Amino acid sequence: LYFSAQEGFLNFYHIKDQQYEIKVCADISQPISSLIFSPDYTSLLLVTDQGTVYSYRPVHSGEAVKLLDTSSSCFLAADFLTPGNNYCVSVTISGEVQVWSLEDGTFLSKLSLGIEVHVT
């Protein structure tokens, strides 16, 4: 079980029978607003309130890698662009949909919806 709290830590609960162990997997020092697993569960996107997206690969147990920082564009949400785990899509309040490479955070494309977007 992966979870985060306002402190900006990605935590892992390993639960077996009546026993559990808590492990801190990553410290990104920003409140995490959402965690999104890739379709094949090999990658985890960590999305912060400030508009930064990190990638964490549980199998590698390394650090969370900053993929993109959209803090200047009123970022709302991100998710994997399927099929595969190579790209993610984000959306801003102004209705701009953006596609990013998960390999290195390269901005690839954008589409303006022409309307303001809200999360409910």
Side-chain angles (χ1 to χ4, degrees):
L1 172 66
Y2 286 92
F3 76 97
S4 66
Q6 289 292 7
E7 296 84 22
F9 294 107
L10 173 64
N11 298 298
F12 174 71
Y13 269 112
H14 178 77
I15 303 167
K16 184 175 181 179
D17 300 323
Q18 300 294 323
Q19 304 288 328
Y20 70 92
E21 177 184 349
I22 302 172
K23 176 185 174 188
V24 176
C25 300
D27 176 6
I28 60 170
S29 303
Q30 295 179 27
I32 299 170
S33 59
S34 61
L35 305 172
I36 304 117
F37 263 107
S38 63
D40 66 0
Y41 297 98
T42 59
S43 296
L44 185 62
L45 289 183
L46 312 173
V47 182
T48 71
D49 291 339
Q50 289 80 22
T52 308
V53 178
Y54 292 83
S55 174
Y56 179 77
R57 295 181 183 259
V59 174
H60 294 58
S61 298
E63 287 188 24
V65 176
K66 184 189 282 189
L67 293 176
L68 55 120
D69 188 352
T70 60
S71 57
S72 62
S73 60
C74 300
F75 173 82
L76 284 178
D79 202 348
F80 286 90
L81 188 60
T82 57
N85 301 325
N86 299 326
Y87 307 100
C88 77
V89 62
S90 64
V91 66
T92 64
I93 291 173
S94 64
E96 188 173 89
V97 178
Q98 305 158 332
V99 177
W100 306 87
S101 168
L102 290 175
E103 290 295 320
D104 58 7
T106 302
F107 172 77
L108 300 172
S109 181
K110 69 179 176 179
L111 170 70
S112 178
L113 301 175
I115 58 171
E116 191 171 291
V117 178
H118 300 276
V119 176
T120 57

